[in-house]
C-alpha cells in the first residue's frame, strides 16, 4: 500500500467521497458508564465531521455490565477473536493498553499514515510497549491513567506533618496519626490502602511498588531476585501490618468509600474524577529513597484494524487524528479530568487550574506492566500475584 500524505488524505475524504457516505464502526468496553469517555469522543467526531462536511459517520458499540455479561478479560477475548478471524466488522478498537503487544499484528502502523507533527505531540509513546512495539506505532492513547497518592491534607496539617517522600516516612507518619486519632475515638480512620486486590489492579500495584525500590531514577525495573525486590516486599508487608490490614489492602470499593467520606489518611489509587472529600490532595507515590517514585501506566488506546477496507482505513485515520488532537485531548483533561499523552498540555494555564494535576504529571515516574514477557500476560499476571500474595498475606516474615 502506498502511503498518502495527510493533506492528500483529507482532500480525498472531503471531496472525493461526497457521493458515498462512509460508515465506520468502533468497539469499546466500560465497566462504569459514569466515567467512560468513548461516547463523548465518538459524538465529538461526528459533530466535527458534520460541521466540516466530511461525510464520515462513526458508530460505537459499547459493551457494559448493563447490556452484556462481558467483563474486561472477556472483552479482550472478544476483540482477539475478531482480529484472529480478520473480521471487517469493526474499523476502530478502543482497548486496554496492556494488550498492545498481543494486538500489534492486527493493527496498522500509525507512523505510516499520520503526520509526524501529530505523533510528535505524544513525546513518550515510543518508549513504552503500551503503544509502540515491534518497531511499530500500534496505537495512540485515548487517555492515560496513572496511580497517585491521595493524602489527607487536613489531618497532616492538624498534626503538623509533611507529605511523605519515602515509604518509611509514610509508615511513621501513618502510625503517629492513627494513634493520635484513636485517642480521640476515631477508630475508623484508614491509614493506607495499597490496592493489592485479586485482579489486574493488584498486579499493577505490586509491579509499581517494586519499581519504587530501584536505586536511581534511570534504573530499570529491579530483578525479582534482587535485594531491591526483597526490600520492597518487606516494606509492603510492614505497610499492611503497621498502618493497614489485609482486608483494606484487598478492598478497592472500601477504599473508594473512604475517598468520598474523608476518613482516610493515605490512599493509593488511579486518578479519576471522583466526588471525593475536599480534605484530599494528590501527589506522586513515595519511594524507598527520596526522589524515587513509581506510577503504573494504564488507560485505553485507539487502534485501527488492518483488515478494514483501504477507504475505511483512510477515514479511520481522520477519526483517530481528531480524537487524539490537542483540542479534543484538552477537553478530556478539563472536562473529564483524564490524563493525556500530549505532554505540552501540562504547560497550558487552562489545564493547570488544578496545579496538583500538572505537578503530579511532570513528576510522575511511569512504569508499564510487563506485557511482552509472555504470550499469555493474563496467566503470568495471575501467577505473579499468587506468589507475592502468598508472602504478603501469609505468616512468613
Amino acid at each position: 500500500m502506498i502511503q498518502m500524505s495527510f493533506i492528500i488524505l483529507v482532500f480525498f475524504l472531503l471531496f472525493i467521497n461526497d457521493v458515498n457516505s462512509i460508515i465506520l464502526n468502533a468497539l469499546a468496553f466500560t465497566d462504569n458508564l459514569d466515567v467512560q469517555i468513548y461516547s463523548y469522543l465518538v459524538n465529538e467526531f461526528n459533530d466535527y465531521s458534520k460541521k466540516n462536511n466530511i461525510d464520515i459517520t462513526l458508530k460505537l458499540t459499547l459493551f457494559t455490565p448493563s447490556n452484556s455479561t462481558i467483563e474486561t478479560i472477556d472483552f479482550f477475548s472478544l476483540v482477539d477473536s475478531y482480529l484472529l478471524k480478520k473480521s471487517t466488522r469493526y474499523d476502530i478498537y478502543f482497548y486496554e493498553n496492556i494488550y498492545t503487544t498481543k494486538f500489534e499484528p492486527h493493527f496498522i502502523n500509525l507512523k505510516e499514515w499520520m503526520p509526524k507533527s501529530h505523533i510528535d505531540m505524544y513525546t513518550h509513546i515510543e518508549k513504552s510497549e503500551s503503544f509502540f512495539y515491534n518497531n511499530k506505532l500500534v496505537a495512540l492513547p485515548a487517555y492515560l491513567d496513572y496511580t497517585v497518592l491521595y493524602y489527607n491534607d487536613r489531618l497532616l496539617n492538624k498534626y503538623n506533618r509533611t507529605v511523605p517522600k519515602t515509604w518509611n516516612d509514610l509508615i511513621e507518619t501513618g502510625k503517629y496519626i492513627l494513634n493520635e486519632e484513636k485517642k480521640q475515638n476515631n477508630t475508623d480512620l484508614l491509614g493506607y490502602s495499597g490496592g493489592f486486590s485479586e485482579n489486574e489492579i493488584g498486579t499493577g500495584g505490586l509491579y509499581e511498588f517494586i519499581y519504587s525500590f530501584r536505586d536511581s531514577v534511570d534504573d530499570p525495573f529491579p530483578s525479582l531476585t534482587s535485594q531491591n525486590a526483597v526490600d520492597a516486599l518487606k516494606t509492603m508487608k510492614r505497610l499492611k501490618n503497621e498502618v493497614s490490614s489485609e482486608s483494606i489492602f484487598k478492598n478497592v470499593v472500601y477504599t473508594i468509600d473512604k475517598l468520598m467520606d474523608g476518613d482516610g489518611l493515605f490512599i493509593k489509587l488511579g486518578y479519576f474524577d471522583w466526588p471525593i472529600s475536599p480534605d484530599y490532595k494528590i501527589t506522586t507515590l513515595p519511594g524507598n529513597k527520596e526522589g524515587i517514585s513509581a506510577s503504573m501506566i494504564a488507560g485505553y488506546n485507539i487502534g485501527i484494524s488492518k483488515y478494514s477496507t483501504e477507504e475505511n482505513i483512510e477515514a479511520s485515520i481522520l477519526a483517530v487524528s481528531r480524537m487524539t488532537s490537542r483540542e479534543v485531548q484538552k477537553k478530556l483533561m478539563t472536562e473529564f479530568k483524564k490524563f493525556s499523552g500530549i505532554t505540552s498540555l501540562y504547560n497550558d494555564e487552562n489545564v493547570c487550574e488544578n496545579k496538583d494535576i500538572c505537578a503530579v504529571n511532570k513528576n510522575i515516574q511511569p512504569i508499564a506492566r510487563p506485557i511482552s514477557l509472555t504470550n499469555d500476560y493474563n496467566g503470568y499476571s495471575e501467577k505473579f500475584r499468587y506468589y507475592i500474595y502468598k508472602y504478603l498475606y501469609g505468616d512468613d516474615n
Side-chain angles (χ1 to χ4, degrees), residues 24-38:
L24 300 175
N25 289 287
L27 183 64
F29 167 82
T30 182
D31 56 11
N32 191 335
L33 276 172
D34 293 333
V35 299
Q36 64 92 13
I37 51 84
Y38 313 114

Side-chain angles (χ1 to χ4, degrees), residues 88-135:
T88 59
R89 184 170 182 175
Y90 295 103
D91 306 287
I92 295 172
Y93 291 88
F94 295 95
Y95 71 94
E96 193 174 0
N97 61 27
I98 62 172
Y99 298 121
T100 291
T101 59
K102 180 71 173 178
F103 294 157
E104 174 267 323
H106 307 289
F107 291 162
I108 67 170
N109 185 354
L110 296 178
K111 290 188 75 172
E112 295 179 353
W113 289 87
M114 286 185 171
K116 186 175 183 296
S117 59
H118 187 89
I119 294 171
D120 285 349
M121 292 190 299
Y122 292 83
T123 54
H124 301 307
I125 55 174
E126 292 194 26
K127 299 177 182 178
S128 173
E129 290 182 347
S130 296
F131 320 104
F132 193 82
Y133 182 67
N134 220 6
N135 202 32

Side-chain angles (χ1 to χ4, degrees), residues 150-395:
Y150 294 85
Y151 64 91
N152 195 312
D153 193 50
R154 176 183 61 81
L155 286 174
L156 290 185
N157 287 330
K158 179 179 178 180
Y159 293 103
N160 195 29
R161 293 287 172 140
T162 59
V163 179
K165 301 295 184 183
T166 68
W167 290 115
N168 282 333
D169 289 344
L170 188 148
I171 291 171
E172 295 308 312
T173 296
K175 287 168 63 177
Y176 176 79
I177 293 178
L178 284 172
N179 288 332
E180 292 300 310
E181 286 292 299
K182 284 179 182 178
K183 294 177 184 177
Q184 301 176 44
N185 295 319
N186 182 6
T187 57
D188 294 327
L189 180 65
L190 179 152
Y192 177 78
S193 173
F196 299 122
S197 53
E198 294 288 351
N199 53 30
E200 193 57 34
I201 293 174
T203 299
L206 295 172
Y207 210 72
E208 72 185 355
F209 199 95
I210 296 172
Y211 189 63
S212 75
F213 273 71
R214 63 200 191 282
D215 292 319
S216 66
V217 171
D218 296 325
D219 282 354
F221 183 83
S223 165
L224 293 178
T225 59
S226 67
Q227 188 61 46
N228 302 68
V230 171
D231 292 342
L233 296 184
K234 288 183 176 180
T235 303
M236 200 183 300
K237 195 153 189 170
R238 279 189 64 207
L239 276 167
K240 175 181 71 74
N241 292 339
E242 298 181 28
V243 293
S244 190
S245 68
E246 179 175 338
S247 62
I248 290 174
F249 261 34
K250 291 181 175 180
N251 196 330
V252 176
V253 174
Y254 178 76
T255 296
I256 294 172
D257 288 341
K258 290 300 179 181
L259 269 179
M260 294 177 179
D261 66 24
D263 205 12
L265 182 55
F266 299 114
I267 295 174
K268 189 223 75 171
L269 204 63
Y271 179 77
F272 299 105
D273 188 21
W274 304 106
I276 66 173
S277 165
D279 290 339
Y280 293 108
K281 292 186 178 181
I282 62 170
T283 187
T284 53
L285 296 180
N288 186 44
K289 300 177 181 178
E290 188 168 341
I292 304 294
S293 182
S295 184
M296 182 57 59
I297 298 175
Y300 272 72
N301 287 353
I302 316 176
I304 299 174
S305 171
K306 73 177 187 181
Y307 307 120
S308 296
T309 65
E310 185 165 333
E311 180 182 58
N312 278 24
I313 290 176
E314 290 160 355
S316 296
I317 287 292
L318 192 61
V320 173
S321 295
R322 177 62 186 175
M323 291 186 283
T324 58
S325 66
R326 183 182 176 88
E327 179 181 348
V328 173
Q329 289 288 303
K330 183 174 179 178
K331 288 180 182 178
L332 289 183
M333 293 184 68
T334 55
E335 297 178 19
F336 293 88
K337 303 300 185 290
K338 295 292 186 183
F339 284 114
S340 172
I342 301 179
T343 52
S344 63
L345 283 171
Y346 296 94
N347 296 316
D348 187 298
E349 290 184 1
N350 293 327
V351 171
C352 293
E353 286 182 2
N354 184 336
K355 295 181 179 179
D356 286 343
I357 295 176
C358 289
V360 166
N361 183 271
K362 290 177 180 179
N363 291 292
I364 269 177
Q365 297 171 25
I367 178 69
R369 282 167 281 189
I371 54 180
S372 65
L373 281 181
T374 171
N375 290 328
D376 180 18
Y377 174 75
N378 289 327
Y380 172 83
S381 178
E382 289 178 7
K383 290 181 179 178
F384 183 78
R385 288 196 304 271
Y386 171 79
Y387 287 111
I388 293 183
Y389 286 172
K390 192 174 180 180
Y391 165 75
L392 181 62
Y393 299 128
D395 296 330

